[in-house]
Amino acid sequence: MLRRLLQPVWVLLAIIFLIEAWLWDHLEPVVARVVALIPLARFKSWLAERVDALSPAMTLIVFVVPIIPLFPLKLVGLWLLTHEYWTSAVFTILFAKMLGVGVTAFVFDVTRDKLLEMHWFERLYEMVLRLRAKATELVDPVKRRLRELVKGNGEGWSSRTLRLIQRFRKSVHEAR
């Protein structure tokens, strides 16, 4: 019973996790392109040389520090939300999120090898990869079902869903 009640929660958490993973995968090439456009390639090689000289524990600090300045930006987004500046708040929070993931992906690319020398970090990294695979496995049936519903001709749709669509279409039509 409890397992059945928690299933939607796990699916939601898996979706959030996969969105983070998707952002990571898709922002890393964007950051690589930005690095190619501006002189960050030299900065990246300079940073890689410095990281090679550091201990794994100090490399962890190099990995975490660039994220800290983004925290106030997220607080600004929350302040905007509390004062009902919805559009500005959403854009600020999304900008902070994407910038954070992009910077983290850039720095992680430079520090990965050194960080993986720490056994606890390697176990954590492998656990995150396993969680990602499990989240994908959990969300795939939901995605497949949604695609079938969107592509389908209404077959398999509940009558309640069809009534909701019909009501929506009617309200849009009446608004014209």
Side-chain angles (χ1 to χ4, degrees):
M1 175 72 175
L2 182 62
R3 183 179 179 144
R4 185 166 175 80
L5 290 174
L6 288 177
Q7 179 85 21
V9 173
W10 288 116
V11 170
L12 180 64
L13 288 174
I15 289 170
I16 292 169
F17 186 78
L18 287 176
I19 289 170
E20 289 282 332
W22 183 88
L23 279 172
W24 181 280
D25 290 343
H26 288 80
L27 285 178
E28 191 173 25
V30 170
V31 170
R33 278 189 230 123
V34 170
V35 167
L37 291 175
I38 56 178
L40 283 180
R42 280 187 281 151
F43 174 70
K44 186 175 181 178
S45 63
W46 177 84
L47 185 61
E49 290 172 12
R50 300 302 174 271
V51 166
D52 286 340
L54 295 176
S55 69
M58 290 301 290
T59 304
L60 183 62
I61 293 172
V62 171
F63 176 62
V64 171
V65 165
I67 301 164
I68 294 170
L70 294 173
F71 184 70
L73 191 57
K74 292 179 181 180
L75 289 178
V76 167
L78 289 175
W79 181 86
L80 289 168
L81 272 178
T82 60
H83 289 82
E84 297 180 6
Y85 296 107
W86 306 111
T87 308
S88 300
V90 168
F91 283 125
T92 303
I93 292 170
L94 285 176
F95 174 73
K97 185 66 179 167
M98 289 188 191
L99 183 64
V101 171
V103 168
T104 303
F106 173 77
V107 175
F108 185 69
D109 188 41
V110 173
T111 60
R112 177 186 300 136
D113 295 335
K114 201 65 132 166
L115 290 172
L116 290 175
E117 290 179 16
M118 294 184 286
H119 296 294
W120 67 268
F121 192 88
E122 183 179 18
R123 286 193 305 268
L124 179 67
Y125 181 69
E126 289 170 357
M127 183 187 76
V128 167
L129 292 178
R130 284 192 307 272
L131 278 172
R132 184 176 178 178
K134 181 70 175 166
T136 301
E137 178 184 317
L138 186 63
V139 171
D140 275 348
V142 175
K143 285 178 16 184
R144 192 170 29 258
R145 179 75 175 134
L146 285 173
R147 282 190 190 116
E148 289 171 4
L149 284 174
V150 170
K151 288 181 183 177
N153 57 0
E155 198 172 298
W157 289 37
S158 70
S159 60
R160 180 178 178 199
T161 304
L162 291 173
R163 281 194 311 270
L164 182 66
I165 292 169
Q166 191 175 23
R167 236 181 315 161
F168 177 72
R169 289 178 72 189
K170 183 179 177 184
S171 67
V172 169
H173 195 348
E174 288 174 353
R176 289 185 192 173

mmCIF file of all heavy atoms in Angstrom, residues 15-32:
data_model
loop_
_atom_site.group_PDB
_atom_site.id
_atom_site.type_symbol
_atom_site.label_atom_id
_atom_site.label_comp_id
_atom_site.label_asym_id
_atom_site.label_seq_id
_atom_site.Cartn_x
_atom_site.Cartn_y
_atom_site.Cartn_z
ATOM 1 N N ILE A 15 12.344 12.251 -12.222
ATOM 2 C CA ILE A 15 12.228 13.249 -13.297
ATOM 3 C C ILE A 15 13.117 14.453 -12.991
ATOM 4 O O ILE A 15 13.839 14.947 -13.870
ATOM 5 C CB ILE A 15 10.754 13.667 -13.496
ATOM 6 C CG1 ILE A 15 9.966 12.515 -14.128
ATOM 7 C CG2 ILE A 15 10.645 14.922 -14.339
ATOM 8 C CD1 ILE A 15 8.475 12.726 -14.156
ATOM 9 N N ILE A 16 13.084 14.930 -11.759
ATOM 10 C CA ILE A 16 13.927 16.065 -11.366
ATOM 11 C C ILE A 16 15.400 15.713 -11.544
ATOM 12 O O ILE A 16 16.185 16.500 -12.079
ATOM 13 C CB ILE A 16 13.624 16.501 -9.915
ATOM 14 C CG1 ILE A 16 12.218 17.107 -9.836
ATOM 15 C CG2 ILE A 16 14.669 17.475 -9.390
ATOM 16 C CD1 ILE A 16 11.711 17.322 -8.430
ATOM 17 N N PHE A 17 15.767 14.519 -11.109
ATOM 18 C CA PHE A 17 17.147 14.064 -11.240
ATOM 19 C C PHE A 17 17.557 13.990 -12.709
ATOM 20 O O PHE A 17 18.653 14.417 -13.087
ATOM 21 C CB PHE A 17 17.304 12.698 -10.557
ATOM 22 C CG PHE A 17 18.715 12.205 -10.514
ATOM 23 C CD1 PHE A 17 19.603 12.703 -9.581
ATOM 24 C CD2 PHE A 17 19.156 11.251 -11.402
ATOM 25 C CE1 PHE A 17 20.907 12.255 -9.534
ATOM 26 C CE2 PHE A 17 20.454 10.787 -11.377
ATOM 27 C CZ PHE A 17 21.334 11.295 -10.430
ATOM 28 N N LEU A 18 16.664 13.494 -13.551
ATOM 29 C CA LEU A 18 16.975 13.383 -14.969
ATOM 30 C C LEU A 18 17.039 14.752 -15.649
ATOM 31 O O LEU A 18 17.810 14.947 -16.587
ATOM 32 C CB LEU A 18 15.965 12.482 -15.674
ATOM 33 C CG LEU A 18 16.115 11.000 -15.352
ATOM 34 C CD1 LEU A 18 15.015 10.196 -16.014
ATOM 35 C CD2 LEU A 18 17.477 10.479 -15.771
ATOM 36 N N ILE A 19 16.237 15.694 -15.180
ATOM 37 C CA ILE A 19 16.329 17.056 -15.716
ATOM 38 C C ILE A 19 17.700 17.641 -15.401
ATOM 39 O O ILE A 19 18.340 18.253 -16.257
ATOM 40 C CB ILE A 19 15.194 17.953 -15.172
ATOM 41 C CG1 ILE A 19 13.859 17.526 -15.780
ATOM 42 C CG2 ILE A 19 15.469 19.431 -15.442
ATOM 43 C CD1 ILE A 19 12.652 18.178 -15.149
ATOM 44 N N GLU A 20 18.163 17.425 -14.172
ATOM 45 C CA GLU A 20 19.512 17.871 -13.798
ATOM 46 C C GLU A 20 20.560 17.210 -14.682
ATOM 47 O O GLU A 20 21.474 17.871 -15.177
ATOM 48 C CB GLU A 20 19.795 17.527 -12.329
ATOM 49 C CG GLU A 20 19.035 18.341 -11.341
ATOM 50 C CD GLU A 20 19.629 19.720 -11.158
ATOM 51 O OE1 GLU A 20 20.847 19.902 -11.349
ATOM 52 O OE2 GLU A 20 18.868 20.635 -10.811
ATOM 53 N N ALA A 21 20.422 15.903 -14.887
ATOM 54 C CA ALA A 21 21.383 15.175 -15.721
ATOM 55 C C ALA A 21 21.319 15.672 -17.162
ATOM 56 O O ALA A 21 22.357 15.833 -17.823
ATOM 57 C CB ALA A 21 21.109 13.677 -15.659
ATOM 58 N N TRP A 22 20.114 15.936 -17.656
ATOM 59 C CA TRP A 22 19.948 16.448 -19.017
ATOM 60 C C TRP A 22 20.613 17.815 -19.147
ATOM 61 O O TRP A 22 21.307 18.085 -20.129
ATOM 62 C CB TRP A 22 18.467 16.522 -19.365
ATOM 63 C CG TRP A 22 18.210 16.972 -20.764
ATOM 64 C CD1 TRP A 22 18.139 16.207 -21.883
ATOM 65 C CD2 TRP A 22 18.002 18.324 -21.202
ATOM 66 N NE1 TRP A 22 17.899 16.991 -22.987
ATOM 67 C CE2 TRP A 22 17.804 18.289 -22.596
ATOM 68 C CE3 TRP A 22 17.954 19.553 -20.557
ATOM 69 C CZ2 TRP A 22 17.573 19.441 -23.340
ATOM 70 C CZ3 TRP A 22 17.728 20.691 -21.300
ATOM 71 C CH2 TRP A 22 17.544 20.629 -22.676
ATOM 72 N N LEU A 23 20.383 18.682 -18.163
ATOM 73 C CA LEU A 23 21.019 19.998 -18.182
ATOM 74 C C LEU A 23 22.537 19.846 -18.193
ATOM 75 O O LEU A 23 23.233 20.529 -18.934
ATOM 76 C CB LEU A 23 20.590 20.826 -16.970
ATOM 77 C CG LEU A 23 19.249 21.528 -17.060
ATOM 78 C CD1 LEU A 23 18.884 22.148 -15.712
ATOM 79 C CD2 LEU A 23 19.260 22.586 -18.135
ATOM 80 N N TRP A 24 23.032 18.936 -17.354
ATOM 81 C CA TRP A 24 24.472 18.706 -17.274
ATOM 82 C C TRP A 24 25.003 18.288 -18.645
ATOM 83 O O TRP A 24 25.989 18.827 -19.131
ATOM 84 C CB TRP A 24 24.746 17.633 -16.235
ATOM 85 C CG TRP A 24 26.199 17.329 -16.035
ATOM 86 C CD1 TRP A 24 26.995 16.547 -16.806
ATOM 87 C CD2 TRP A 24 27.017 17.809 -14.980
ATOM 88 N NE1 TRP A 24 28.258 16.504 -16.297
ATOM 89 C CE2 TRP A 24 28.304 17.263 -15.174
ATOM 90 C CE3 TRP A 24 26.790 18.633 -13.883
ATOM 91 C CZ2 TRP A 24 29.355 17.528 -14.311
ATOM 92 C CZ3 TRP A 24 27.843 18.873 -13.021
ATOM 93 C CH2 TRP A 24 29.104 18.330 -13.247
ATOM 94 N N ASP A 25 24.341 17.311 -19.264
ATOM 95 C CA ASP A 25 24.795 16.787 -20.554
ATOM 96 C C ASP A 25 24.734 17.841 -21.652
ATOM 97 O O ASP A 25 25.606 17.909 -22.509
ATOM 98 C CB ASP A 25 23.955 15.575 -20.976
ATOM 99 C CG ASP A 25 24.212 14.363 -20.110
ATOM 100 O OD1 ASP A 25 25.249 14.332 -19.405
ATOM 101 O OD2 ASP A 25 23.389 13.435 -20.137
ATOM 102 N N HIS A 26 23.685 18.658 -21.627
ATOM 103 C CA HIS A 26 23.496 19.612 -22.713
ATOM 104 C C HIS A 26 24.193 20.953 -22.476
ATOM 105 O O HIS A 26 24.427 21.684 -23.440
ATOM 106 C CB HIS A 26 22.006 19.815 -22.981
ATOM 107 C CG HIS A 26 21.387 18.620 -23.635
ATOM 108 N ND1 HIS A 26 21.017 17.503 -22.927
ATOM 109 C CD2 HIS A 26 21.133 18.346 -24.928
ATOM 110 C CE1 HIS A 26 20.542 16.595 -23.761
ATOM 111 N NE2 HIS A 26 20.596 17.086 -24.980
ATOM 112 N N LEU A 27 24.480 21.291 -21.259
ATOM 113 C CA LEU A 27 25.183 22.544 -21.003
ATOM 114 C C LEU A 27 26.698 22.372 -21.091
ATOM 115 O O LEU A 27 27.407 23.341 -21.345
ATOM 116 C CB LEU A 27 24.796 23.120 -19.640
ATOM 117 C CG LEU A 27 23.412 23.754 -19.584
ATOM 118 C CD1 LEU A 27 23.112 24.259 -18.187
ATOM 119 C CD2 LEU A 27 23.274 24.877 -20.583
ATOM 120 N N GLU A 28 27.185 21.166 -20.883
ATOM 121 C CA GLU A 28 28.630 20.945 -20.975
ATOM 122 C C GLU A 28 29.150 21.277 -22.378
ATOM 123 O O GLU A 28 30.146 21.993 -22.514
ATOM 124 C CB GLU A 28 28.971 19.509 -20.574
ATOM 125 C CG GLU A 28 30.454 19.284 -20.392
ATOM 126 C CD GLU A 28 30.756 17.907 -19.840
ATOM 127 O OE1 GLU A 28 29.950 16.978 -20.025
ATOM 128 O OE2 GLU A 28 31.836 17.782 -19.239
ATOM 129 N N PRO A 29 28.491 20.822 -23.478
ATOM 130 C CA PRO A 29 28.959 21.228 -24.806
ATOM 131 C C PRO A 29 28.809 22.732 -25.058
ATOM 132 O O PRO A 29 29.639 23.333 -25.743
ATOM 133 C CB PRO A 29 28.071 20.439 -25.776
ATOM 134 C CG PRO A 29 27.505 19.327 -24.987
ATOM 135 C CD PRO A 29 27.449 19.802 -23.580
ATOM 136 N N VAL A 30 27.759 23.340 -24.503
ATOM 137 C CA VAL A 30 27.581 24.783 -24.660
ATOM 138 C C VAL A 30 28.736 25.509 -23.977
ATOM 139 O O VAL A 30 29.313 26.448 -24.540
ATOM 140 C CB VAL A 30 26.216 25.239 -24.084
ATOM 141 C CG1 VAL A 30 26.118 26.752 -24.021
ATOM 142 C CG2 VAL A 30 25.081 24.647 -24.889
ATOM 143 N N VAL A 31 29.081 25.067 -22.776
ATOM 144 C CA VAL A 31 30.210 25.665 -22.067
ATOM 145 C C VAL A 31 31.492 25.447 -22.864
ATOM 146 O O VAL A 31 32.329 26.340 -22.964
ATOM 147 C CB VAL A 31 30.325 25.097 -20.631
ATOM 148 C CG1 VAL A 31 31.618 25.525 -19.977
ATOM 149 C CG2 VAL A 31 29.139 25.536 -19.800
ATOM 150 N N ALA A 32 31.648 24.268 -23.465
ATOM 151 C CA ALA A 32 32.832 23.995 -24.282
ATOM 152 C C ALA A 32 32.897 24.960 -25.468
ATOM 153 O O ALA A 32 33.983 25.442 -25.825
ATOM 154 C CB ALA A 32 32.817 22.548 -24.767
#
